[in-house]
Amino acid sequence: MTGLPHPVQRPPVMARYNPKETEPKWRQAWADADAFKATVDPSRPKYYVLEMFPYPSGRLHMGHVRNYSLGDVVARFKRARGFSVLHPMGWDAFGLPAENAAMERGVDPRAWTYDNIERMRVELKQLGLAVDWSREFATCDVEYYGQQQALFLELYLRGLVYRREATVNWDPVDQTVLANEQVVDGRGWRSGAMVEKRKLAQWFLRITDYADQLVDDLQTLDRWPEKVRVMQENWIGRSKGLRFAFHFAGGPPEGFDAGLEVYTTRPDTLYGASFVGVAPDHPLAELAARSDPKAAAFIEKCRHGAVSEAEIETQEKEGYDTGLRVKHPFDPNWELPVWIANFILMDYGTGAIFACPAHDQRDLDFAHKYQLPVRPVVLPPGADPAACEVGDEAYVGPGTIFNSGFLDGLDVETAKARAIERIEGQGQGEGATVFRLRDWGVARQRGWGCPIPVVHCAKCGAVPLPKSALPVELPADLDFGRPGNALARHPTWKHTTCPDCGGPAERETDTLDTFVDSSWYFARFTDPTSPEPIDKAAADYWMPVDQYIGGVEHAVLHLLYARFVTKALADEGRLSVREPFAGLFTQGMVTHETYRRQSGEWLEPAEVEIVAEGKTRRAKLADSGEPVVIGDVEKMSKSKKNTVAPEEIFDVYGVDAARLFVLSDSPPERDVQWTSGGVQGAWRFVNRVWEEFDSQPAEGEPHSGAAVGDDAGALAIRRAAHRTVKAVTEAIETFHFNSGIARLYEFLNLLKGHPAKTASPGVLAARQEGLSAFARLIGPFTPHLAEECWSRIGGQGMVVAADWPAYDPALTEDASKVLPVQVNGKRRGEITAPAGAEPAEVEKIVLDDPEIARRLEGLTIRKVIVVKDRIVNIVAA
RNA sequence: GGGGACAUGGCGGAAUUGGUAGACGCAAGCGACUUAAAAUCGCUCGGGCUAGGCCCGUCCGGGUUCGAGUCCCGGUGUCCCCA
């Protein structure tokens, strides 16, 4: 039985490598040399590395350590490879957490945010990132959001900004609009109040104008994860179908002279129509409510129903028959009832559908509930038309159309085209592409955000401000002490004059969604002090971002908005690229085991002692010995208390060990599980590396090693060194950092086998060559240690200024290869052959081998397969 | 309901993309050093057996192939996205 130490335990005092001394020293040296300044240098290839910028929550967590360490590996590697690198850092600084802190603790959001930035900057700098800090900015800097207001006005003038009434989720307690994701079980995520649907005038960006491009250009993003491209494509949801109008039987109701317009992706199933449905907030439903109290009551009930698409899908289907009737477009004598149904979305298509229960599950559920007809019109392959019946499941597969007049006998796709042609011929509608994507509502009723640069004038309406009136600055004395929009209730701020007529006017008090802030910051980084929002020349040099790194949770919204804004800015002539991020990497989370008392109370890792008994592990409280339940491995979170504070780890093991561990333990795209043992292993490696460098005598230093040559040892070291350079280079290029670090461990193990103190001059020279490469190879992962080691063996200048080591391909291959020999696919021995030996030559060696010959006794050789430098397989019977 | 990803020792994960499965690390066991512990160093570490040689083994069941962790078909499980 062995008790493991706490996650954060003092390292042995006798350790010779002292990160507390070396790490600050090298960070200072980099700063003094301005080593990471990004410079426009047309003579060199450029490389722009960017990690999604942090929200200044106040403290660094392990997720940050991982995210920024990953980007730092790329930045340092590309710099060493001769690229002119831009690797900036900034702050996504507007948003609700600051307002919540303000309300809870009575602090000013601005002060809270900038204090947090101060603190986090210190911690991030401690990570030793190769960042050009001279470009730092926060989105809440007036220099930034003022430029954003200028861009907003440009989009306004191009017709990409508009204002309309929209149904929103309204939290009556917090007095604000909530995004769908902020509504949980019909209640506001913060207040817990029942959310209402309200109509409010809202500002929108016309992202749907770019919907086609946003889908089509996904094809060009070949360095994006396939997963993210699929998610975006689904989110945009382009579908081709038919938009057409039903004529009313017995004359149209008021305002519906043109009929009732519906949209469908299944015009082939028109003969299966059973009823027509409209959304509860459809104008026709509202019209019906005016004369029918029951309809009004039903609509009111729907208002309190589900808000997200997924919830709408799973809730009980309900409807109300308006009594209105429409005529089937292909048969004027066929009348269909018009229902108000709670599963229809006003925002998708036209907010009205025709229902074909036999071939749509939602329609079928609805039809069953209200005893509406179910008429199959698509015959599954091989089915009998006479016996075809629909049970509880709608048939949505391919098949042959039947029961459908002129469409009979056609396949689904042909029938769709034929039905669209017929409707178009009747002048009743046309084929149309519809997107699931909706315009982007960017207005937030919040005081801690970028003010929308518009005023409302009683005479002129909503008037955009002229650029000369920018920036529209947030007042310093906002009252965040209670819920609601602090900007709207400020006593004086909103009162102004109309730029058009000079009369009294009120400023728009909504601010922009923080996703707007993050939709162009990457372009601002190319010249953050430009008087223009974006300096064209700088952007032309640096854009696009060559490698963007962040969490997959932003796969849709942030990345989609940034793509849209980039395209819009390109159309304005402000950018020359149409896609912001040429390469995207989505890294996994940092996780940790969870621990609870038997009563269920969460416990921090530091309170728990792990007891290992052979292959099983148990846990108990470190002080009392009370048994502890080991729970699942989950994302580090305060609520489950399974967090480990980076600063404590830095303090005990140094920054390099922490970086090394998060980089080495798992492939970057997967979750990494933080363990105390793991970081101790990284710490051991740091020390072993230092000892290896420290044992290498400087040139001319007295040395007790053997005077005789040891060419075999020297050659082994050189080969391993060159192989390691090749492997690590390739590993970094392909984001296989964990494998690259494993190769570094291997090389160190090999060097240990040829210690300096007993080495011949030849081995010493080979070690020197190997150590020189090694110091540079570990630079991207453990940059401080790399400098200390490089300096110890007399490297010129600093590692950050040194070239990446080159390798000699001839030295990465052994002169002879050991090839396994299989007989009928089973390993039966091995032979040694010269590298690159031709099959015939290898075959001869194999057949001359006595051991192999013994294995083949009594068998007839049918075939000998030789894979060069790899394997031999003899097929024999 | 649709789509996608994944499944390898006690654990995290390697495997040159069809060619010696388990690199490297963690945990564990044994040993050395030590008054002792920690640290450090060395050895062992998928399972089985008639143990210096064989057999089995990459979630399960089939298939293709000289050869399958890798490709194909079917199933199970976990996760993600969409509905």
Side-chain angles (χ1 to χ4, degrees), chain A residues 386-450:
Chain A
C388 183
E389 274 198 31
V390 178
D392 286 337
E393 250 175 67
Y395 179 73
V396 295
T400 309
I401 306 294
F402 71 126
N403 289 337
S404 292
F406 71 99
L407 297 174
D408 278 354
L410 300 174
D411 63 80
V412 166
E413 289 309 314
T414 312
K416 281 181 183 173
R418 218 44 75 69
I420 291 171
E421 273 168 34
R422 176 71 67 104
I423 294 280
E424 285 177 344
Q426 291 171 198
Q428 248 178 296
E430 59 189 358
T433 300
V434 161
F435 297 92
R436 206 188 74 93
L437 182 70
R438 302 176 216 159
D439 275 337
W440 175 14
V442 292
R444 297 290 180 271
Q445 292 68 46
R446 309 291 353 167
W448 186 233
C450 171

Side-chain angles (χ1 to χ4, degrees), chain A residues 458-766:
Chain A
K459 218 161 76 189
C460 314
V463 182
L465 287 165
K467 274 202 176 176
S468 59
L470 298 185
V472 176
E473 208 167 330
L474 285 170
D477 55 343
L478 285 171
D479 165 26
F480 287 94
R482 55 203 165 95
N485 185 347
L487 208 46
R489 64 170 173 257
H490 187 273
T492 57
W493 182 79
K494 66 183 170 191
H495 302 298
T496 184
T497 52
C498 172
D500 279 6
C501 71
E506 285 197 359
R507 290 189 189 282
E508 170 63 64
T509 58
D510 284 359
T511 54
L512 290 170
D513 180 3
T514 55
F515 276 125
V516 176
D517 309 341
S518 55
S519 287
W520 69 287
Y521 76 107
F522 43 87
R524 183 70 184 167
F525 272 138
T526 65
D527 182 354
T529 59
S530 171
E532 287 291 305
I534 297 165
D535 181 273
K536 187 76 190 317
D540 281 353
Y541 179 76
W542 291 113
M543 290 294 291
V545 175
D546 296 279
Q547 187 63 60
Y548 197 38
I549 302 171
V552 74
E553 66 272 19
H554 292 112
V556 179
L557 296 182
H558 161 57
L559 289 167
L560 191 65
Y561 294 147
R563 293 181 62 222
F564 156 59
V565 168
T566 298
K567 287 174 192 304
L569 293 178
D571 286 341
E572 266 168 47
R574 287 212 172 268
L575 288 175
S576 301
V577 296
R578 298 198 68 80
E579 285 289 343
F581 313 121
L584 173 69
F585 190 88
T586 53
Q587 100 271 9
M589 299 178 301
V590 181
T591 63
H592 196 288
E593 242 175 12
T594 52
Y595 309 104
R596 322 178 73 148
R597 259 177 227 240
Q598 265 153 350
S599 60
E601 185 193 335
W602 297 104
L603 292 166
E604 286 174 25
E607 302 174 85
V608 174
E609 188 176 327
I610 305 290
V611 182
E613 288 166 7
K615 286 176 180 176
T616 62
R617 301 167 72 243
R618 274 199 255 145
K620 59 181 187 181
L621 267 180
D623 46 12
S624 68
E626 179 188 329
V628 167
V629 181
I630 301 180
D632 290 339
V633 174
E634 299 193 57
K635 181 183 182 177
M636 282 189 179
S637 76
K638 280 160 277 165
S639 62
K640 290 180 180 152
K641 291 196 175 175
N642 62 339
T643 57
V644 173
E647 61 265 44
E648 288 176 32
I649 299 296
F650 296 168
D651 187 46
V652 174
Y653 298 106
V655 168
D656 281 337
R659 288 176 55 129
L660 185 69
F661 174 58
V662 294
L663 292 168
S664 67
D665 199 54
S666 293
E669 69 276 11
R670 283 207 225 166
D671 291 351
V672 62
Q673 186 187 341
W674 184 274
T675 60
S676 60
V679 73
Q680 286 171 41
W683 162 247
R684 269 197 289 277
F685 178 76
V686 167
N687 277 287
R688 296 207 305 146
V689 168
W690 172 247
E691 281 159 21
E692 204 56 42
F693 277 83
D694 200 33
S695 72
Q696 179 79 354
E699 220 167 313
E701 233 173 78
H703 170 62
S704 62
V708 287
D710 176 7
D711 291 345
L715 189 61
I717 293 170
R718 296 198 69 213
R719 285 194 188 284
H722 284 252
R723 260 201 303 269
T724 304
V725 171
K726 180 172 193 275
V728 172
T729 305
E730 288 169 1
I732 294 177
E733 275 167 348
T734 54
F735 267 92
H736 295 147
F737 299 164
N738 55 326
S739 299
I741 291 168
R743 299 287 87 76
L744 291 167
Y745 274 88
E746 279 176 359
F747 183 56
L748 182 70
N749 290 341
L750 181 125
L751 284 176
K752 290 263 173 207
H754 301 275
K757 66 171 189 251
T758 58
S760 69
V763 165
L764 268 190

Side-chain angles (χ1 to χ4, degrees), chain A residues 767-781:
Chain A
R767 279 175 53 91
Q768 181 72 17
E769 181 190 345
L771 289 171
S772 164
F774 193 79
R776 287 172 285 164
L777 292 178
I778 61 175
F781 308 108

Side-chain angles (χ1 to χ4, degrees), chain A residues 247-268:
Chain A
H247 298 315
F248 285 91
E254 184 191 342
F256 286 88
D257 296 339
L260 175 62
E261 195 169 56
V262 301
Y263 176 77
T264 179
T265 57
R266 294 298 303 271
D268 54 309

Side-chain angles (χ1 to χ4, degrees), chain A residues 55 93 95 97-103 106-116 140 447-448 476 478-480:
Chain A
Y55 179 80
E99 291 194 38
N100 294 339
M103 216 187 324
V107 293
D108 174 44
R110 185 192 317 261
W112 183 86
T113 302
Y114 280 106
D115 281 355
N116 284 349
C140 63
W448 186 233
L478 285 171
D479 165 26
F480 287 94

